[in-house]
Amino acid sequence: MEMLNVLNAFNAFPLAELEVGKHFYWHIGNLKVHGQVFITSWIVIALLLIASLAATRNMQRIPRGMQNFMEYALEFIRDLARNQLGEKEYRPWLPFIGTLFLFIFVSNWSGALVPWKLIKLPEGELAAPTNDINTTVALALLTSLAYFYAGFSRRGLGYFTKYIEPTPILLPIAILEDFTKPLSLSFRLFGNILADELVVAVLVLLVPLFVPLPVMMLGLFTSAIQALVFATLAGAYIHEALEGHGDEHHD
């Protein structure tokens, strides 16, 4: 009874207005859509589309402006894919790895640069798409499907012999590895972006002027690193699926 009285006292005089796990949903028939992630994801996609159209609208032999910036980004992504997959293998996978990198990079930076919380919603609040575990898990599962497809397209059903090589005793460990890859990808990205936004939010609340700026700059750097790490690991997993189990190495 005393415990119930204490809980009732806290409910009568709440110490904070923050509600954990409250989200804004759209109901389309029987389908429930996560409105916050949907809105910010499409804003990120729109920004990428606008940048691509601006870069290719009036292409010049000597690039400048947005064309120069996008060509630099393409060169960077091409080098990233080539380093992970090799000269002979990277081209078919360049669009996938490039899309992953650009979407995560712009999403992460939007969380650091765009004041999403100023946009009021009926419930919850806007944040970077990668601030939500649903987004990072979806990206990780897409990566898993990609490397399964890569291995299966290269070796057919023989790809699954990797689970019993060099000995069937390792079967449980091989299966567990396929579960840990998407888990580590998704939680690493989600945890870093969420932690960065929480640290900046707390510092802005406590010291609203100059102290948060260095932390925000550090957040931009770590956000870029997280996009690079995710795309690099995706390329490494695809390379492993294409390469392994007796296939000849491709430089």
Side-chain angles (χ1 to χ4, degrees), residues 53-125:
L53 291 174
T56 56
R57 183 180 57 180
N58 185 24
M59 297 186 66
Q60 304 292 328
R61 184 177 296 273
I62 300 177
R64 54 185 180 176
M66 183 57 71
Q67 180 186 346
N68 189 44
F69 175 78
M70 292 301 288
E71 287 191 8
Y72 172 79
L74 178 60
E75 235 5 86
F76 177 82
I77 295 169
R78 183 183 291 125
D79 290 341
L80 171 64
R82 185 188 291 118
N83 289 337
Q84 294 303 315
L85 295 167
E87 185 68 37
K88 297 180 180 178
E89 300 285 1
Y90 83 94
R91 292 184 184 277
W93 295 99
L94 181 60
F96 177 75
I97 295 175
T99 302
L100 275 180
F101 175 80
L102 289 175
F103 179 80
I104 295 172
F105 180 84
V106 177
S107 295
N108 292 353
W109 271 42
S110 73
L113 297 176
V114 179
W116 293 115
K117 293 175 177 58
L118 296 180
I119 303 174
K120 300 300 182 182
L121 296 176
E123 291 182 307
E125 59 185 20

Side-chain angles (χ1 to χ4, degrees), residues 5-231:
N5 291 333
V6 172
L7 291 175
N8 288 331
F10 275 108
N11 289 331
F13 302 99
L15 298 178
E17 294 290 334
L18 181 62
E19 296 186 29
V20 178
K22 194 170 184 180
H23 299 291
F24 174 57
Y25 292 103
W26 289 335
H27 295 273
I28 305 175
N30 294 325
L31 181 65
K32 184 189 288 186
V33 178
H34 198 318
Q36 294 154 274
V37 176
F38 190 88
I39 292 171
T40 53
S41 295
W42 275 102
I43 291 174
V44 169
I45 293 171
L47 289 174
L48 290 171
L49 288 175
I50 291 171
S52 299
L53 291 174
T56 56
R57 183 180 57 180
N58 185 24
M59 297 186 66
Q60 304 292 328
R61 184 177 296 273
I62 300 177
R64 54 185 180 176
M66 183 57 71
Q67 180 186 346
N68 189 44
F69 175 78
M70 292 301 288
E71 287 191 8
Y72 172 79
L74 178 60
E75 235 5 86
F76 177 82
I77 295 169
R78 183 183 291 125
D79 290 341
L80 171 64
R82 185 188 291 118
N83 289 337
Q84 294 303 315
L85 295 167
E87 185 68 37
K88 297 180 180 178
E89 300 285 1
Y90 83 94
R91 292 184 184 277
W93 295 99
L94 181 60
F96 177 75
I97 295 175
T99 302
L100 275 180
F101 175 80
L102 289 175
F103 179 80
I104 295 172
F105 180 84
V106 177
S107 295
N108 292 353
W109 271 42
S110 73
L113 297 176
V114 179
W116 293 115
K117 293 175 177 58
L118 296 180
I119 303 174
K120 300 300 182 182
L121 296 176
E123 291 182 307
E125 59 185 20
L126 294 179
T130 45
N131 179 277
D132 191 278
I133 188 65
N134 298 287
T135 304
T136 59
V137 168
L139 294 172
L141 290 177
L142 282 175
T143 302
S144 296
L145 289 175
Y147 71 71
F148 274 120
Y149 170 78
F152 188 76
S153 64
R154 172 61 61 86
R155 293 173 50 84
L157 293 176
Y159 170 73
F160 296 103
T161 60
K162 72 166 191 169
Y163 292 102
I164 56 174
E165 292 179 350
T167 170
I169 298 175
L170 298 178
L171 177 62
I173 298 176
I175 295 175
L176 183 62
E177 183 182 6
D178 285 332
F179 283 98
T180 57
K181 283 179 180 178
L183 279 176
S184 67
L185 281 174
S186 56
F187 279 99
R188 180 189 296 110
L189 179 58
F190 164 71
N192 279 279
I193 301 306
L194 179 62
D196 176 64
E197 292 195 7
L198 287 175
V199 168
V200 172
V202 170
L203 286 176
V204 169
L205 180 65
L206 297 177
V207 191
L209 291 178
F210 301 108
V211 174
L213 292 178
V215 180
M216 293 177 67
M217 296 301 297
L218 179 62
L220 291 175
F221 175 73
T222 57
S223 295
I225 293 298
Q226 288 305 313
L228 178 62
V229 168
F230 197 104

Side-chain angles (χ1 to χ4, degrees), residues 89 151 154-155 239-250:
E89 300 285 1
R154 172 61 61 86
R155 293 173 50 84
H239 173 72
E240 181 184 355
L242 289 170
E243 178 82 6
H245 318 302
D247 288 350
E248 184 181 353
H249 180 72
H250 297 281

